[in-house]
Amino acid sequence: MRSPSMRRELLLLREMRDAALAIRELVGGRSVEQVEADGIRRSALLWHFTVLGEAASQVPPATKSAEPAIAWRAATRMRNRIVHGYWDIDVATLVATAADDLPQMIAQLERFITVLDGDDEPDQPG
């Protein structure tokens, strides 16, 4: 049986992964202009980036150091920027992050979840 702290760590990692997957889905192949023009999509994108960063900020330092390649600080910084300066968010940065950085982060999180969970197959969202 997993300890409560391990269950919490897995929950946080899954929250990060699920938020990153949602961001990728929201951006899809859309241009910055298309995302900016769709207020509901933009709001959902901001929400999921906030969840991603908040979960990253709560992962214990020992867990983060076990997988230093994951962009823990970048996710937390993005969350802080959104929460404290939401009226001045550059949607182009969000779209670029979704396209350029999140695929790697999702793969890293999947591998890490698998290791911590002790499964042979990557954990599937949902």
Side-chain angles (χ1 to χ4, degrees):
M1 184 168 181
R2 279 187 204 92
S3 70
S5 64
M6 181 60 68
R7 284 195 305 268
R8 184 167 192 285
E9 290 170 23
L10 282 166
L11 172 69
L12 291 168
L13 294 171
R14 288 180 178 126
E15 285 291 323
M16 288 179 67
R17 179 212 44 214
D18 293 350
L21 288 168
I23 291 164
R24 294 277 299 151
E25 179 73 22
L26 286 163
V27 171
R30 292 170 186 84
S31 68
V32 172
E33 294 76 20
Q34 289 171 313
V35 173
E36 282 182 331
D38 185 341
I40 292 173
R41 185 173 303 279
R42 182 180 181 276
S43 293
L45 192 60
L46 291 171
W47 169 254
H48 287 293
F49 267 112
T50 301
V51 169
L52 174 65
E54 183 61 26
S57 75
Q58 292 187 34
V59 173
T63 303
K64 290 178 184 176
S65 32
E67 195 60 51
I70 294 176
W72 308 105
R73 286 181 32 197
T76 301
R77 282 194 311 267
M78 178 77 79
R79 176 251 181 231
N80 291 341
R81 179 74 181 103
I82 290 167
V83 170
H84 299 291
Y86 66 90
W87 59 88
D88 191 30
I89 297 301
D90 180 20
V91 174
T93 300
L94 301 179
V95 170
T97 300
D100 300 338
D101 301 330
L102 290 187
Q104 178 180 0
M105 178 182 266
I106 291 165
Q108 291 167 325
L109 288 166
E110 286 286 358
R111 284 190 299 272
F112 199 29
I113 289 166
T114 299
V115 168
L116 291 179
D117 204 20
D119 289 340
D120 293 332
E121 294 297 316
D123 189 80
Q124 296 301 311

